[in-house]
Amino acid sequence: MREDLYEFYGYRVACTVPAEAEAVVGRLFGAPLRDGDASRAAWTPQTVHLSVELTDTDSDPVPPPYFPEHWDTSDVVVLDTASSRAEVTPARWTVRVTLARSDLGNPVVWGRWLVEKAFLVLTLRSGRHYGLHAGALSVDGRAALVTADSGVGKSTFTAWGLFKGADFAGEDAMMRHIDDPEGRFWGYPRCAYLDPALIKGRPELADAPAAPVPAREKSRVEWPARYESRLLPAVRPRALLVLTREHETVRPLDIDAVLGLCRDDFAAGKADPAVLERVEGDLRELLSGMSLLQFGLSTDLDSNFARLAAVLHG
């Protein structure tokens, strides 16, 4: 097995994979980093070592808990789908995936349930990283973080922006590396989790790989090549939007209100008060340079995008 270097959520990832699973890694990460790219995340001292092993099993995959028991304290965090599993060792920055051959064609297993979740665990367990339940868009070079309670429409809002010409940096989780001096948030732009009806209604997604997420009314869809040039690994946001359906206006928020709304996100896994203070201080500093807005959604998706563009360029 050979080892290649990738970027994922802003981390350098040294990946070892058998030939039979190379297609999985390609769909997850895209092309390996070139020699000149390897230093672009020099501010991140950690290289995550990800290994993939294949196994045979007769078990069908089942949805794992969102977080396994003791995920925030265990030396090794196990993500188990009954058929495949990932063992995450935060102190060593390692992820070991044991993938069933029967799951090679199931991106929900190796994507959503294992690798994407493993990197979220690494981020939340780290004292120098944190995450936000958010997506991000950039309209003509000006970016916004977009957050909302589950079910409000954050995924649809960010995906519609991509359809309308915006750049897209993710729709579910954005990671912050405190030592990144550019104040960026890093996402995973290669896929999105969308209402199957929305996917079906977009002709350009007709041939895009899509898989339903069990127990969720969403499908994991991988963006086709036509969007490649508008998929961003990271953004430096000038605004943070908190989506709501309680009204259809745009209203200012203060920093303390936004910190309160995001606290469950950035405080997850931060048991050490000194670490939490450092994380909150970093986020507060970044928010002080942004427009902080409660953004009321209408049922007209085009109108929502037009108002986003106006907010960013007004």
Side-chain angles (χ1 to χ4, degrees):
M1 294 191 294
R2 76 169 189 263
E3 182 180 79
D4 287 315
L5 195 64
Y6 299 89
E7 180 273 317
F8 192 65
Y9 279 119
Y11 293 100
R12 287 189 302 264
V13 183
C15 184
T16 305
V17 59
E20 195 174 347
E22 286 180 355
V24 166
V25 172
R27 289 172 67 181
L28 263 172
F29 301 137
L33 293 177
R34 300 183 298 270
D35 289 343
D37 294 333
S39 62
R40 75 179 191 181
W43 40 265
T44 307
Q46 298 83 9
T47 293
V48 179
H49 291 271
L50 170 67
S51 64
V52 178
E53 303 170 7
L54 294 178
T55 187
D56 292 302
T57 178
D58 294 328
S59 300
D60 293 327
V62 296
Y66 188 81
F67 282 123
E69 190 175 7
H70 306 306
W71 72 270
D72 53 343
T73 56
S74 298
D75 291 339
V76 178
V77 180
V78 178
L79 310 172
D80 195 344
T81 74
S83 57
S84 298
R85 60 191 273 137
E87 296 179 0
V88 186
T89 308
R92 296 183 179 180
W93 292 92
T94 62
V95 180
R96 179 186 176 189
V97 175
T98 304
L99 185 64
R101 285 184 170 83
S102 57
D103 287 336
L104 282 168
N106 191 336
V108 173
V109 171
W110 45 254
R112 181 180 181 87
W113 289 345
L114 296 183
V115 176
E116 292 170 37
K117 185 58 62 67
F119 277 78
L120 180 59
V121 169
L122 288 173
T123 296
L124 300 185
R125 287 286 298 269
S126 169
R128 306 297 301 179
H129 307 79
Y130 59 93
L132 294 180
H133 179 215
L137 290 170
S138 179
V139 182
D140 296 328
R142 298 189 178 186
L145 289 174
V146 182
T147 187
D149 290 336
S150 295
V152 170
K154 169 172 53 63
S155 298
T156 299
F157 182 86
T158 51
W160 201 261
L162 179 63
F163 299 148
K164 298 299 291 185
D167 294 332
F168 175 92
E171 54 82 45
D172 187 60
M174 300 298 295
M175 311 300 188
R176 168 70 181 142
H177 305 250
I178 290 178
D179 297 307
D180 177 1
E182 296 189 32
R184 291 172 292 190
F185 286 83
W186 294 78
Y188 180 43
R190 296 184 61 82
C191 77
Y193 293 90
L194 303 176
D195 185 330
L198 178 63
I199 299 172
K200 186 176 180 180
R202 301 298 303 186
E204 65 269 41
L205 299 182
D207 297 323
V213 180
R216 295 288 304 276
E217 295 180 357
K218 289 192 174 184
S219 290
R220 183 186 193 274
V221 60
E222 298 168 44
W223 297 122
R226 65 180 294 168
Y227 293 125
E228 187 71 29
S229 65
R230 290 195 281 116
L231 303 181
L232 304 178
V235 295
R236 184 175 182 177
R238 63 176 290 143
L240 183 145
L241 309 183
V242 179
L243 304 186
T244 182
R245 291 197 178 276
E246 296 177 357
H247 54 79
E248 296 185 8
T249 60
V250 178
R251 302 175 181 177
L253 294 169
D254 63 36
I255 289 180
D256 288 330
V258 173
L259 288 170
L261 291 169
C262 296
R263 186 167 300 279
D264 286 346
D265 299 342
F266 69 76
K270 314 302 186 196
D272 184 336
V275 169
L276 181 55
E277 182 179 3
R278 178 168 61 240
V279 164
E280 183 170 344
D282 179 79
L283 182 55
R284 180 181 290 273
E285 181 179 355
L286 295 176
L287 292 176
S288 69
M290 299 185 207
S291 298
L292 309 177
L293 303 167
Q294 187 181 62
F295 190 99
L297 296 176
S298 76
T299 57
D300 186 331
L301 298 176
D302 287 341
S303 172
N304 291 334
F305 178 72
R307 288 191 296 132
L308 166 65
V311 162
L312 291 175
H313 292 274

